[in-house]
Amino acid sequence: MTTMTTGLSDVRPIGDQLRAWRQRRRLSQLELASEADVSTRHLSFVETGRSAPSREMVLRLAEHLDVPLRDRNLLLVSAGYAPVFDETPIEEPKMDTVRAALRQVLEGHEPYPAVVVDRFWNLIDANGAAAFFMEGAPPELLEPPLNVLRLSMHPDGMARNILNLAEWRAHMIDRVRRHVALTADAALAQLHKELRSFPGDVGEAIAPPASHEVFVPLRMRVDGRELSFFSTIATFGTPVDITVAELAIESFYPADAKTTEFLRERAGW
C-alpha cells in the first residue's frame, strides 16, 4: 500500500516554514524572489502571513529552496493543500523497477563493496563484497534496521578494525552534521549526537589530510591485511517518490593494489 507522509502532527504556518528554509539556505528575500521569479513584496507577505500562497507558488519556492520531498508535502499541508509526493515502501510491487536497478548497480560493482542506504544511513541492500564490513560485529548491531554509521563507529563494530579511526570518524560525523543543517531533521540530529557519544569522539574539527592524499580513505585491517578504500555516492536523478529520493548508493573502491588483490581473491576472481 502506498502511503503519504505529511507530518500533520507538526504543522506550522506556511510563512514561518518558508522563512526558516530560506534562512537555512542563506538566501535573502530579494535573492529567493529573483530566483523564483516572484516579487519581493509578495514573498514578504507570504512569510508574514499577510498573503496565502497558491499551490504552484509553494512548489516553486520549495524547488528553489531545494526542500526535500517529504518536507514539500508538509509545506503543502501547511498552506491548506493536499500532499503530492508518495512515500512507497521499497518492497511494494510499484518499486520493482527501483529494486532491480539497485540490484544491478550492486552486482555490477562486484568484487568491490557497495551498499544502499536510506536518509538515516539504514541499510536497504548490499552486495556480497560488503559482507566483511559486518563480520565479527555483535548481533545487536546487525539487527534491522542496521545503521551503517552506527555499525562503523561503534567500538564493538567496524571501529575496532579501522586504522585511521579518528580521521575517518571526524569526516563522517561532519557529513552527518551537514545533512542535519540542510534538512533540519530531528532524527538525524539524534543520530549525530549518538555517533559523537561513542568513545574517542574527535569533536567537530576535521584534521587536515596528509599532503599526498586527495580524499579521506577508509583504512581497515581485515584477515591480518591492511586495506584502503575510497567511496562515491550515487542517487536517483529525477525522483518523485520520497523513498526513492532518499536512497543513496555508496560504492567503495580499492585505493591501492593490495586492496584490489584482496577483494579479487576473496571473490574468487
Side-chain angles (χ1 to χ4, degrees):
M1 176 179 178
T2 299
T3 60
M4 301 289 283
T5 299
T6 63
L8 289 172
S9 61
D10 187 31
V11 175
R12 292 181 294 145
I14 180 64
D16 290 351
Q17 294 189 62
L18 287 172
R19 183 188 307 110
W21 281 107
R22 176 177 59 77
Q23 293 172 342
R24 194 170 293 122
R25 298 297 185 253
R26 301 180 183 276
L27 292 173
S28 67
Q29 285 188 343
L30 178 60
E31 289 170 326
L32 177 57
S34 177
E35 289 183 10
D37 195 25
V38 300
S39 72
T40 305
R41 183 170 183 267
H42 182 51
L43 178 58
S44 176
F45 278 18
V46 168
E47 288 191 359
T48 58
R50 296 175 63 185
S51 179
S54 67
R55 177 178 176 276
E56 290 70 24
M57 177 66 70
V58 172
L59 290 173
R60 186 191 312 172
L61 292 173
E63 177 71 22
H64 285 279
L65 289 168
D66 196 24
V67 177
L69 297 191
R70 68 172 59 248
D71 294 287
R72 296 187 196 191
N73 274 351
L74 180 56
L75 290 175
L76 288 166
V77 171
S78 300
Y81 304 107
V84 299
F85 299 104
D86 288 349
E87 183 177 11
T88 310
I90 192 67
E91 65 274 7
E92 288 281 317
K94 179 181 177 181
M95 302 290 273
D96 286 350
T97 301
V98 173
R99 291 197 308 275
L102 294 172
R103 182 46 37 191
Q104 181 177 4
V105 172
L106 291 174
E107 293 178 354
H109 196 62
E110 298 275 8
Y112 308 143
V115 298
V116 179
V117 296
D118 64 16
R119 65 185 176 126
F120 299 121
W121 279 274
N122 291 324
L123 185 68
I124 301 299
D125 200 358
N127 65 7
F132 73 87
F133 286 151
M134 308 169 203
E135 290 176 356
E140 57 269 22
L141 288 179
L142 302 178
E143 292 177 356
L146 189 164
N147 187 276
V148 298
L149 291 184
R150 183 180 296 114
L151 173 68
S152 65
M153 297 187 199
H154 194 284
D156 295 329
M158 286 173 55
R160 70 195 190 284
N161 296 321
I162 297 178
L163 301 175
N164 61 330
L165 181 60
E167 176 189 40
W168 188 78
R169 281 191 64 203
H171 280 268
M172 294 305 297
I173 288 174
D174 188 67
R175 182 169 152 190
V176 179
R177 180 194 61 77
R178 286 184 278 111
H179 274 266
V180 172
L182 288 171
T183 64
D185 190 292
L188 273 180
Q190 184 58 41
L191 175 62
H192 178 256
K193 181 179 179 180
E194 178 188 352
L195 297 175
R196 283 178 49 88
S197 74
F198 291 151
D201 194 344
V202 294
E204 296 292 350
I206 300 179
S211 60
H212 64 281
E213 292 179 342
V214 294
F215 51 78
V216 175
L218 170 62
R219 294 196 175 97
M220 298 182 62
R221 186 180 301 278
V222 179
D223 295 339
R225 298 164 73 169
E226 293 187 11
L227 309 180
S228 183
F229 299 91
F230 68 91
S231 68
T232 63
I233 298 173
T235 58
F236 284 89
T238 54
V240 292
D241 184 281
I242 293 171
T243 298
V244 178
E246 295 176 346
L247 293 175
I249 306 169
E250 185 152 14
S251 302
F252 292 84
Y253 295 84
D256 56 36
K258 292 185 300 182
T259 304
T260 300
E261 181 183 7
F262 170 85
L263 294 171
R264 290 182 174 274
E265 287 178 0
R266 186 180 174 94
W269 287 32

